[in-house]
Amino acid sequence: MTINSLLAILFARKWVILITTGVALCLAVVAHLLTPRTFTGTTELIVDGRGMDPISGQMQPARLMTGYIATQADIIRSRTVINKVIDQIGQQKLLAAAGLTATPDEEVNRRQLQGFLGQGLEVLPKRDSNVLSIAFKAKDPVLAADLANAFAQAYMYTNLEMRVEPARQTSEWYKAQLASLRTDLTDRQNKLAAYREEHKIIAGPDRLDLESTRLSELSTQLMAAQTERINSQNRRDQIATQKIDPESRAMDNPQVQQLAGELARAEATLRDLGNQVGENHPRYAQARTEVAQLKQQLKRLLELISGSLRSSVELSKAREEQIQKELAAQKELVLQLNRHKNELALFQQEVDNAQAAYDSALARSAQTHLESQISTTDIAVLNPAIAPNNPTPSKLAVMLILALVGGVLAGVAAALVWEWLDQRIRTNADIESDLDLPLLTCIPLGVSEVRS
């Protein structure tokens, strides 16, 4: 079928198309006249999208208003909000106002009301604005306004619950965690106190520093005792070996120096007398006796000094051994205190960590508790709905356009079906295609009418 054939068919069956289109338009008009009038109550809400934290007063990241407003519109259409509206107005009262038949089954009645409210509700987010319009269509203007306002209130309550409920659950969780954290903190503090008591560690100046100072003093005393012992031992050995002159064995002793000087003078006098008077002279004998006495006195003095040096060496050894014992004990004490200090630092760190965790949880618990007590939302009623005086404008023009388009399409379809049931030759091409014969000539329509 060519375009010309199709146009010829539609032109031939034009009355079918016109009648079908007229019937469709008449049905649209009748439907419009039979449709009961409805009234629309509209409530306008403003949504604060600044995202300010009501507890801390700090600005939160800005919300994406397009997605946020669309989400709020979906919340208004939710069953949760619809059920709140039903509970707010009353199921029986709402059934009577909506003209619905009540049944003994409460669940059936609620489903009827959910369908009625969902059908009449319309949420209109305004473009590039934070304003939401809640519109409700009903036969009664007062009912339409009441339901629009009821949806606004139910939505605000739902929005508040959605903010408060997570904070309340978080607050309860923090309360449970605080009990555990408090127990853990108490246990760690008790362990720290028990460790201090067991090892007799008291608060105040660091004992490790004091004992380290004492260890340093003992080391200094040990070095002094060793030096003293070595010096006394060397002097004792010098006297015992008798490898040097008496004068040099005890140069630091005044008595030895005095006797040594007297002995030197007596020996000089003895040599002079020996040269002058000879060894048999009485004066020489007296000088020799004096020299012998001085040597004897010096010997006894050196023996006394040697004994004193031996005693000094023994005392130095005893003092050195005592200091070494005290030094070893002090070293062990310092090492033990160092170990105690390290373990005490670990205990203290555990206490500090537990305290920090408890303080952080306590602060967060207080904040979430305040958040769970919030009674305001970021939603406010801008314009509450009032009962409309005029019904909602009808959509007659839209209905007529749809009826016109539908009628034309239905008429075209009816014309094609009629043509299929009653096929006729409409054009020259139909003769050649249907009869499979060449077309020799044709008589124009106007000529045929003149000849007749």
Side-chain angles (χ1 to χ4, degrees), residues 95-341:
L95 283 171
L100 300 176
T101 303
T103 63
D105 191 350
E106 296 293 333
E107 188 63 28
V108 174
N109 294 334
R110 182 170 288 272
R111 284 199 297 269
Q112 290 183 14
L113 291 176
Q114 288 175 352
F116 168 73
L117 295 176
Q119 185 178 2
L121 176 65
E122 186 176 5
V123 183
L124 303 173
K126 293 190 176 182
R127 186 175 182 180
D128 299 331
S129 175
N130 297 352
V131 177
L132 271 175
S133 295
I134 301 177
F136 194 87
K137 294 181 179 179
K139 297 177 182 180
D140 185 2
V142 177
L143 179 62
D146 291 343
L147 287 177
N149 291 326
F151 267 100
Q153 294 298 325
Y155 162 62
M156 293 173 65
Y157 291 149
T158 302
N159 182 273
L160 180 60
E161 290 179 354
M162 292 176 64
R163 293 182 60 188
V164 170
E165 183 61 23
R168 187 189 63 80
Q169 294 179 359
T170 304
S171 178
E172 295 296 330
W173 182 83
Y174 269 112
K175 287 181 181 179
Q177 295 301 313
L178 278 175
S180 176
L181 291 174
R182 187 184 301 110
T183 302
D184 181 63
L185 176 60
T186 303
D187 291 341
R188 295 185 185 279
Q189 288 176 341
N190 291 336
K191 289 181 180 179
L192 177 61
Y195 187 83
R196 286 180 177 275
E197 183 178 357
E198 178 183 358
H199 298 284
K200 297 179 176 58
I201 301 175
I202 59 175
D206 194 350
R207 185 183 175 188
L208 179 60
D209 294 340
L210 298 177
E211 297 298 338
S212 298
T213 303
R214 172 63 178 166
L215 178 63
S216 177
E217 293 176 354
L218 287 176
S219 298
T220 303
Q221 292 177 9
L222 178 61
M223 294 179 61
Q226 289 176 342
T227 301
E228 182 180 357
R229 175 186 59 80
I230 292 173
N231 291 334
S232 299
Q233 191 170 4
N234 289 336
R235 291 167 60 192
R236 184 200 63 183
D237 294 341
Q238 290 174 0
I239 294 174
T241 54
Q242 296 182 358
K243 293 182 179 179
I244 57 178
D245 296 335
E247 294 83 353
S248 61
R249 293 183 223 167
M251 291 296 292
D252 57 345
N253 193 301
Q255 295 180 356
V256 172
Q257 293 177 359
Q258 182 180 359
L259 287 176
E262 293 178 356
L263 178 61
R265 289 193 295 272
E267 288 179 345
T269 301
L270 180 63
R271 286 195 297 271
D272 292 339
L273 291 174
N275 294 328
Q276 294 176 3
V277 297
E279 295 181 357
N280 296 322
H281 195 279
R283 291 179 60 188
Y284 182 83
Q286 183 180 359
R288 185 169 53 190
T289 302
E290 184 179 356
V291 168
Q293 291 176 351
L294 290 173
K295 287 183 176 180
Q296 187 66 27
Q297 291 179 4
L298 182 60
K299 181 179 179 181
R300 288 198 299 269
L301 181 59
L302 291 177
E303 289 178 353
L304 290 174
I305 293 174
S306 178
S308 176
L309 289 176
R310 284 195 297 272
S311 300
S312 178
V313 169
E314 296 297 329
L315 290 175
S316 298
K317 285 184 178 180
R319 177 170 174 75
E320 182 181 350
E321 292 175 357
Q322 180 64 28
I323 294 177
Q324 286 178 344
K325 291 180 181 179
E326 293 179 1
L327 183 62
Q330 189 68 20
K331 287 182 179 179
E332 181 62 26
L333 178 60
V334 170
L335 292 175
Q336 185 178 7
L337 290 176
N338 197 19
R339 290 192 295 268
H340 290 169
K341 181 180 180 180

